[in-house]
Amino acid sequence: MVNVVAIVLESVSSIAKQYHEEFFLLEIVSITIFSIEYIIRLWTCVDRVKYAAIEGSNTKRRLHYIFSPLALIDLIAILPSLLMFFFMLDLRFLRVLRLLRVFKLTRYSRAMQLLLQAFIDEGSTLLAAFFIMAVVLILASCGIYLLEHDIQPDKFGSIPAAMWWAMATLTTVGYGDVVPITPIGKLFGGVITLVSMGMVAVPTGLLASSFSEQVRKRRQVFENAVHEQITNGTLSEEHLSHLEDLRYKLGLSKLEANKAIKVQLNERSEHMFCRNCGKRP
């Protein structure tokens, strides 16, 4: 995160000139740490269960790891700087690409991992929604072009130029720099605005639903683990330690974990009876 902030501040010319050496030193340290981390992860990935199950040589397993999402993020974090250092490239877009290091936070943020998994699970549905939005965008651009082209040739001179208005309208942003002025154009714009309210909500709803489902699944996994660990209505220190590790891996809060444990203990106690008297303990 410090590295990303430094890259942002470096874009300010006055700050970049004053702290040029500090920024350069930070970049050297960062790229060294990130490179070592990447090499270690690449070398040790063959010991993970996920990649150890892949048939073939360790080279094949490492190739699978290289093209995994998290490994690609790690590579993107170091590649721009390596290109600038070793090939003496000083291209502006390479400097901007260093900001992609912010995606390394997904490795350490459970919430970001949940969101990423939600994108993956709903990938096909999201693509379908975006395709429909693209169709509506083109139709809106064509429509406003036909209605406003003769009146405002400077603003709606072509369909691509009209796409700016259509995009701002479909996303309900409405910058106001380009607006229809004819009655029929205003009516058309109103219809597009009403349509866009539902269109924009579709991807948001899909992601929210998938995110909630991911959280529910992780809670269910933890609850099942608690149910399996309970012995005679209690949990040993060893079991609690195991559940704590699982809680951390699943990204659940301690409040959620304690609630799940309490529920499972209560359910187990309700089904326990004394063998001698037949009463609940």
Side-chain angles (χ1 to χ4, degrees):
M1 194 65 185
V2 173
N3 198 264
V4 173
V5 172
I7 295 172
V8 173
L9 293 177
E10 194 178 3
S11 64
V12 182
S13 57
S14 59
I15 297 178
K17 291 179 181 179
Q18 184 176 357
Y19 299 99
H20 174 72
E21 294 183 359
E22 287 80 0
F23 284 133
F24 182 75
L25 179 61
L26 178 61
E27 183 66 18
I28 293 294
V29 173
S30 299
I31 196 64
T32 301
I33 294 175
F34 291 157
S35 299
I36 293 174
E37 178 194 20
Y38 181 78
I39 293 172
I40 292 175
R41 290 185 183 277
L42 178 61
W43 185 258
T44 59
C45 70
V46 295
D47 297 326
R48 300 181 186 177
V49 177
K50 177 180 178 181
Y51 298 102
I54 299 176
E55 296 182 357
S57 63
N58 287 340
T59 302
K60 182 179 179 181
R61 297 187 181 99
R62 291 190 175 99
L63 285 175
H64 275 80
Y65 172 77
I66 288 174
F67 292 101
S68 65
L70 290 178
L72 288 174
I73 290 173
D74 290 339
L75 182 61
I76 290 173
I78 62 176
L79 191 59
S81 294
L82 291 177
L83 291 175
M84 288 190 293
F85 287 149
F86 291 101
F87 296 97
M88 299 303 175
L89 296 176
D90 191 21
L91 301 178
R92 185 178 297 272
F93 81 93
L94 288 178
R95 293 178 178 271
V96 174
L97 281 178
R98 292 183 300 166
L99 286 172
L100 295 177
R101 291 175 186 174
V102 71
F103 288 108
K104 282 181 68 67
L105 295 175
T106 58
R107 181 183 293 277
Y108 309 105
S109 172
R110 304 297 174 183
M112 289 292 291
Q113 291 179 14
L114 282 174
L115 185 59
L116 179 61
Q117 189 61 46
F119 269 103
I120 295 174
D121 291 347
E122 298 295 336
S124 58
T125 308
L126 286 173
L127 284 176
F130 286 132
F131 175 77
I132 295 174
M133 291 181 66
V135 172
V136 175
L137 173 66
I138 294 173
L139 293 177
S141 303
C142 293
I144 200 67
Y145 168 75
L146 294 174
L147 296 174
E148 295 287 329
H149 170 66
D150 295 333
I151 306 299
Q152 301 185 79
D154 56 327
K155 296 180 179 179
F156 298 97
S158 64
I159 293 177
M163 283 186 177
W164 170 249
W165 171 87
M167 181 64 72
T169 304
L170 286 173
T171 55
T172 66
V173 175
Y175 289 110
D177 55 336
V178 180
V179 294
I181 58 176
T182 62
I184 188 65
K186 292 180 179 179
L187 177 62
F188 181 77
V191 173
I192 294 299
T193 301
L194 293 175
V195 172
S196 66
M197 292 176 64
M199 293 297 301
V200 175
V202 171
T204 305
L206 288 173
L207 286 177
S209 176
S210 181
F211 188 86
S212 299
E213 181 65 16
Q214 290 296 324
V215 174
R216 188 196 66 79
K217 287 181 179 179
R218 297 196 176 200
R219 287 175 180 169
Q220 187 62 48
V221 170
F222 186 81
E223 290 175 359
N224 293 339
V226 174
H227 183 77
E228 294 176 358
Q229 296 289 339
I230 293 177
T231 304
N232 297 326
T234 60
L235 288 170
S236 65
E237 291 296 329
E238 181 181 355
H239 291 159
L240 289 174
S241 177
H242 172 75
L243 291 174
E244 176 61 20
D245 292 339
L246 180 62
R247 179 198 69 80
Y248 179 78
K249 291 179 180 179
L250 295 176
L252 299 177
S253 66
K254 290 187 177 181
L255 180 62
E256 290 176 313
N258 292 335
K259 182 179 179 180
I261 292 174
K262 184 177 180 180
V263 169
Q264 290 297 320
L265 288 174
N266 290 338
E267 290 182 356
R268 179 60 65 90
S269 64
E270 291 178 357
H271 293 83
M272 292 181 63
F273 296 90
C274 178
R275 295 181 179 179
N276 298 321
C277 63
K279 296 182 179 180
R280 293 177 181 174

